Amino acid sequence: MTTVHTNYIGGEWTESESGETFDTVNPADPSETVATYQQSTEADAEDAVEAATEAADEWAATPAPERGAILRQAAANLEARKEELTELLTTEEGKTHAEAGGEVQRAIDIFYYYAEKTRDLGGTVKSSSAQRSNLYTVEEPVGVTGLITPWNYPIAIPAWKIAPALAAGNTVVIKPASVAAGTALAIFEALDDAGLPDGVGNIVTGPGSTVGNTFVTHDKVDAVSFTGSSQVGQMVYDQATDDGKRVQAEMGGKNPTVVTDSADVDEAADIVSAGAFGVTGQACTACSRAIVHTDVYDEFVEAVAERAAAIEIGPGDVAEMGPQVTADERDGTLSYIDTAREEGGNLVAGGGVPEDLDEGYYVEPTVFVDVDPEDTVACEEVFGPVLAVIEVEDFEEGLHVANDVEYGLSASIVTDDHTEAQRFVSEVEAGVAKVNDKTTGLELHVPFGGFKDSSTETWREQGDAGLDFYTIEKTVYDNF
């Protein structure tokens, strides 16, 4: 029997006032219904905001280590369910078992990390210019935080927004992506079992146009954190800032890996393949452009095409690369492949739907070569397993091509030349710069965010920066 999930509002699991629900399906087998969720309304979202508002003062006054103890227990609760949640993530989103397990572990680690950070929360003490005076700062929570999260990392991204928000003393309302909401709801099951006070955390499923919009525009929501497409993120930013809210938005990418003439070609092909085809290319940090020096271009093309062709495609519990999450995502990727052909790209691997997988939302790992930097497939975010290989004459041209797009999220270089590596780090226009590594993969204790259309460039996520967004400083002059 399909599990019917409810919203979590004010410490209670409740059905939507609409009485309507929606289903999610297994992208590897769309005939299989995975779970049923509430088709919530504006009224449900408003109830969540009211619950968060009522709980805000008491939670802010709770000693930070006490808040941390709840986060720590929530992490342990998630850890006890790791295999179950891994299977759910694979079934609902399509990731391979290894990828899903890694993501669930990341969410666990994030909660443990911010549980410990609560012991270090506080301000700074400064020397006063006056005698018999203390001068210091204190950090206070922003208030009620509205979170909107995507489907491609359906437990990790909610975790890296929820955990620092709660650690800093804020209350939370969140709308997870509808196509893969199960693991986000599991976070609140873990928090509820850990003793989170009523109203401190609330989750409402349903359309972004109603639930998400309410969280963005409600006058009692003090801060909004969004991850998703650039188009929607810009709309969220404009709406929320018009109301005077604190806002962070992390959005799309068109991430390059530059392969220089000094690179080990086999290593470069491994790095690019992992970045382009891992998680089925459905990552904002996925490598979608390999910018390759002419001296190693032919050798690299042969190597990366071989790796793409060798990837085993199928259901996430048995294969190396799973399906895309929905039919629309698959069709969008196939449309970009058609456009790349029309614009003159030379297809050397993939390019369609696997013949032996007539069910599910599968696309072959695809490699286009002889791509012009101005081609659509080299400029627009595809969000699928498609790699464009661009030939350049030297490092200078490679750096120019890497930067000559509207996005600036993640970028990497494969080189044995230390000078080129350092120049790349200094001059690449991206929030994440990597040397001899794939564009995907993030440490949880350092800042994450992009430049240009990849980010609002307001606040970073993760690490100490993740706490900065959810706190506001007060300066105290204490004369005695």
Side-chain angles (χ1 to χ4, degrees):
M1 175 179 283
T2 302
T3 301
V4 179
H5 295 281
T6 53
N7 296 325
Y8 184 69
I9 301 174
E12 300 290 336
W13 294 98
T14 60
E15 296 181 353
S16 169
E17 60 91 29
S18 72
E20 298 180 2
T21 60
F22 64 92
D23 296 332
T24 58
V25 301
N26 183 349
D29 180 7
S31 66
E32 177 189 347
T33 299
V34 178
T36 299
Y37 301 95
Q38 302 302 305
Q39 185 78 347
S40 303
T41 65
E42 182 179 340
D44 297 314
E46 288 178 346
D47 287 346
V49 174
E50 290 298 330
T53 302
E54 290 177 9
D57 288 346
E58 186 173 349
W59 182 244
T62 301
E66 186 176 330
R67 300 195 296 260
I70 293 174
L71 297 185
R72 192 175 303 108
Q73 184 58 53
N77 294 343
L78 291 171
E79 194 166 26
R81 298 176 61 189
K82 180 180 176 181
E83 184 57 33
E84 171 200 345
L85 297 179
T86 296
E87 292 177 3
L88 173 59
L89 202 160
T90 292
T91 304
E92 196 164 57
E93 195 270 349
K95 280 188 172 75
T96 67
H97 189 273
E99 291 166 345
E103 182 181 343
V104 173
Q105 185 61 53
R106 183 179 184 82
I108 294 165
D109 293 344
I110 287 167
F111 270 89
Y112 276 130
Y113 172 79
Y114 283 109
E116 296 310 310
K117 292 299 289 185
T118 59
R119 299 182 184 276
D120 295 329
L121 294 178
T124 58
V125 177
K126 301 292 185 180
S127 295
S128 174
S129 299
Q131 293 184 349
R132 295 186 297 278
S133 179
N134 295 321
L135 181 62
Y136 60 95
T137 66
V138 294
E139 294 177 346
E140 297 185 351
V142 175
V144 177
T145 58
L147 315 178
I148 301 173
T149 57
W151 52 261
N152 62 323
Y153 285 91
I155 189 168
I157 293 179
W160 82 46
K161 294 181 188 293
I162 294 166
L166 295 179
N170 300 275
T171 57
V172 165
V173 294
I174 181 172
K175 193 209 89 68
S178 294
V179 298
T183 51
L185 282 160
I187 290 176
F188 286 84
E189 293 168 353
L191 286 165
D192 185 55
D193 290 344
L196 189 73
D198 294 350
V200 172
N202 308 271
I203 184 168
V204 181
T205 58
S209 58
T210 52
V211 177
N213 187 67
T214 300
F215 291 165
V216 171
T217 60
H218 200 291
D219 60 3
K220 292 183 179 178
V221 172
D222 300 293
V224 174
S225 180
F226 169 90
T227 300
S229 72
S230 296
Q231 181 181 10
V232 177
Q234 191 59 55
M235 290 171 55
V236 166
Y237 179 78
D238 290 343
Q239 285 181 303
T241 53
D242 282 348
D243 293 335
K245 293 177 172 57
R246 180 179 290 206
V247 189
Q248 66 178 181
E250 293 302 330
M251 300 172 284
K254 193 64 186 172
N255 311 295
T257 295
V258 174
V259 180
T260 71
D261 58 342
S262 68
D264 180 303
V265 173
D266 283 334
E267 179 187 20
D270 288 340
I271 286 171
V272 170
S273 297
F277 306 127
V279 296
T280 319
Q282 297 180 133
C284 55
T285 55
C287 176
S288 59
R289 295 181 296 151
I291 302 168
V292 185
H293 193 286
T294 187
D295 289 353
V296 295
Y297 182 82
D298 291 340
E299 185 181 356
F300 174 84
V301 166
E302 180 179 359
V304 80
E306 286 178 356
R307 283 159 176 75
I311 293 172
E312 181 186 3
I313 312 167
D317 56 348
V318 297
E320 295 177 90
M321 192 184 88
Q324 296 210 243
V325 70
T326 63
D328 284 346
E329 290 294 330
R330 175 203 60 196
D331 293 347
T333 298
L334 293 173
S335 177
Y336 273 111
I337 290 172
D338 289 341
T339 299
R341 283 194 181 101
E342 293 167 3
E343 293 181 349
N346 181 15
L347 184 67
V348 295
V353 175
E355 292 182 1
D356 58 339
L357 293 169
D358 53 357
E359 295 181 352
Y361 307 133
Y362 295 100
V363 176
E364 295 170 320
T366 297
V367 180
F368 281 99
V369 301
D370 305 327
V371 175
D372 188 281
E374 302 300 318
D375 287 350
T376 302
V377 75
C379 296
E380 296 184 10
E381 185 177 36
V382 178
F383 224 68
V386 178
L387 175 69
V389 185
I390 302 167
E391 184 175 5
V392 293
E393 293 295 324
D394 53 30
F395 173 80
E396 299 291 342
E397 184 184 3
L399 184 61
H400 170 75
V401 171
N403 287 335
D404 194 25
V405 291
E406 295 177 353
Y407 298 100
L409 186 53
S410 181
S412 73
I413 186 170
V414 185
T415 183
D416 281 343
D417 186 319
H418 187 69
T419 299
E420 287 181 343
Q422 291 303 302
R423 278 200 59 196
F424 179 82
V425 168
S426 297
E427 298 177 34
V428 73
E429 296 169 358
V432 176
K434 295 188 172 187
V435 177
N436 297 326
D437 197 2
K438 62 184 185 294
T439 56
T440 51
L442 305 168
E443 296 271 6
L444 62 85
H445 59 293
V446 291
F448 171 67
F451 293 171
K452 300 189 284 190
D453 285 355
S454 291
S455 173
T456 50
E457 300 183 7
T458 45
W459 307 86
R460 292 311 197 207
E461 296 191 281
Q462 304 196 117
D464 289 333
L467 290 166
D468 291 343
F469 174 70
Y470 295 104
T471 56
I472 190 165
E473 282 192 319
K474 177 185 290 182
T475 303
V476 179
Y477 297 79
D478 177 18
N479 297 311
F480 56 92

